[in-house]
Amino acid sequence: MDASTRKIVHIDMDAFYASVEQRDDPKLRGKPVVVAWRGARSVVCAASYEARRFGVRSAMPAVRAERLCPHAIFVPPDFTRYRAVSRQVREIFLRHTDLVEPLSLDEAYLDVSAPKSGLDSATAVAKSIRAAIAQETALTASAGIAPNKFLAKIASDWRKPDGLFVVRPHEAEAFLAPLPVAKIPGVGKVMDARLAALGIRTCADMRLRDVRELERQFGRYGRRLHELARGIDERPVDPDQLVQSISTEDTFERDLPLPAIEATVHALAVKTWAASRKTERIGRTVVLKLKTADFHLLTRSHTPPLPPQSESEFVEIAASLIARVELPATTLYRLAGVGLSNFRDAEEFTQPELFDAAT
């Protein structure tokens, strides 16, 4: 399929985990619901829109969410139930196209350039999908329709919740011009600050820069930023894409000695574990990534006999890897990351019965 003629839909379920909880327990409807384990190390997996009004967001420490919204109802996550609903939604997608690329349990890209449902436009497909999700799961989803994945993902967030937004090819540059660069995938707080120092705050600002200057500043990612600011994204929807690894990292405001980053490693491990629960695959290898002040990169990893079974086990393994860093005590670090890799389908980790019932 020619990238210039693609019709991409990005579907994003609205406050998915929290919405499933509210659907299944009428007492939670209309209440500020936070899906998270309680505890100093836990992070928010999802927050209902009632909780979001108080500033509660996913990936936020649970203790902070409790401070922001003291009357929130905390519900422990039930990923088995969320995966079951996700499979229902996936079946709805597949009625329209085989080109479905799941990003997590609650969102996916669909290439509907030639929908097998026979509908005459990408907008009609998106409307049909949203209606089927509402009817068959009693949940809502938002949709973005655009000529590429980057634009479709931004568009799906434009009229949340329960909304639909279309970016047509000739509208892309005007649509992106006022968009803050922080909305571009990969632009976190540190990158946003570096761009701000260059006077780049919007996609329009980015377009005015010479791509060679951006490459000198940010390497190949500089060219990628310039392309996205112009609405160029030629990535196809990949239905065979499987999760291989998940990681979370943080660049420190100032370089720190190893003992000072232990709390950060704990927090990153919690976030990585929460992110790993959003996929149906299971990871086994725990990875610690560190970058020194002079940009030397090192990693330490551990593969237990069985995949980590809980957040606390995963955090404990990640923290233990710090002890395997053998650089001098005077070494300072500018970045830390925690990852989970060596992903496999869940069925591969199913243990056979030790004894057959007939013996």
Side-chain angles (χ1 to χ4, degrees):
M1 174 66 65
D2 185 343
S4 64
T5 61
R6 287 187 185 127
K7 297 178 181 178
I8 309 298
V9 176
H10 179 256
I11 299 288
D12 193 0
M13 300 295 291
D14 298 320
F16 183 49
Y17 303 162
S19 295
V20 172
E21 297 296 342
Q22 289 178 315
R23 180 196 69 176
D24 295 347
D25 184 351
K27 295 191 297 292
L28 298 177
R29 294 172 192 169
K31 304 288 180 61
V33 174
V34 176
V35 179
W37 291 281
R38 285 186 180 274
R41 293 180 177 177
S42 292
V43 298
V44 174
C45 296
S48 69
Y49 285 97
E50 293 86 356
R52 293 184 189 190
R53 295 191 190 107
F54 294 86
V56 180
R57 296 289 184 271
S58 60
M60 172 184 290
V63 289
R64 186 180 174 208
E66 197 164 7
R67 286 197 301 267
L68 289 171
C69 189
H71 59 293
I73 302 170
F74 278 73
V75 179
D78 182 350
F79 290 102
T80 300
R81 195 151 41 102
Y82 308 150
R83 289 188 180 101
V85 179
S86 180
R87 285 191 289 271
Q88 272 187 280
V89 174
R90 188 88 49 85
E91 289 171 4
I92 293 171
F93 296 161
L94 292 171
R95 295 172 196 167
H96 297 270
T97 177
D98 294 324
L99 298 177
V100 177
E101 180 182 328
L103 298 179
S104 61
L105 294 180
D106 58 351
E107 61 175 319
Y109 291 118
L110 292 74
D111 187 326
V112 296
S113 306
K116 61 184 183 182
S117 53
L119 296 174
D120 60 1
S121 71
T123 302
V125 170
K127 287 180 178 178
S128 177
I129 288 172
R130 292 178 63 243
I133 289 172
Q135 181 177 3
E136 297 174 34
T137 73
L139 299 170
T140 64
S142 295
I145 302 118
N148 61 50
K149 291 161 76 170
F150 167 61
L151 288 167
K153 186 170 175 65
I154 292 175
S156 68
D157 196 46
W158 215 248
R159 288 186 179 153
K160 264 189 165 291
D162 197 18
L164 180 148
F165 191 76
V166 183
V167 180
R168 295 172 178 81
H170 67 278
E171 299 169 338
E173 290 208 7
F175 171 72
L176 287 173
L179 191 79
V181 289
K183 294 285 189 182
I184 297 177
V187 177
K189 290 182 179 178
V190 173
M191 176 61 78
D192 191 32
R194 292 179 67 187
L195 291 169
L198 297 174
I200 301 174
R201 305 311 303 128
T202 66
C203 286
D205 297 334
M206 186 83 74
R207 290 178 202 159
L208 295 175
R209 298 304 177 110
D210 189 302
V211 67
R212 290 167 294 186
E213 174 197 354
L214 294 171
E215 284 186 310
R216 282 194 298 270
Q217 291 280 346
F218 308 112
R220 285 182 298 176
Y221 187 57
R223 178 172 289 275
R224 175 71 174 155
L225 285 171
H226 196 261
E227 289 175 348
L228 292 177
R230 296 164 56 211
I232 298 172
D233 180 16
E234 298 185 354
R235 297 171 300 157
V237 170
D238 183 359
D240 299 318
Q241 190 175 67
L242 297 174
V243 173
Q244 303 298 336
S245 65
I246 290 174
S247 63
T248 310
E249 60 184 46
D250 188 17
T251 300
F252 311 128
E253 292 183 5
R254 57 186 176 83
D255 299 335
L256 299 172
L258 194 61
I261 68 174
E262 290 185 14
T264 299
V265 169
H266 280 258
L268 292 173
V270 169
K271 289 184 179 181
T272 300
W273 179 257
S276 75
R277 301 301 87 192
K278 292 186 176 183
T279 174
E280 294 185 7
R281 308 189 85 214
I282 296 175
R284 183 174 167 188
T285 300
V286 184
V287 181
L288 172 68
K289 171 184 172 183
L290 296 172
K291 186 179 289 185
T292 64
D294 59 358
F295 290 86
H296 174 67
L297 186 66
L298 67 149
T299 60
R300 298 292 183 268
S301 64
H302 175 66
T303 303
L306 289 174
Q309 299 296 301
S310 66
E311 178 188 278
S312 60
E313 181 185 353
F314 180 73
V315 171
E316 182 179 350
I317 294 172
S320 72
L321 294 174
I322 298 174
R324 291 174 47 192
V325 178
E326 296 136 358
L327 297 182
T330 55
T331 304
L332 297 178
Y333 300 85
R334 70 187 315 270
L335 175 146
V338 175
L340 183 61
S341 63
N342 193 14
F343 274 78
R344 298 287 186 273
D345 292 334
E347 293 78 7
E348 294 185 37
F349 292 114
T350 302
Q351 298 297 302
E353 294 295 331
L354 293 178
F355 302 98
D356 189 278
T359 62

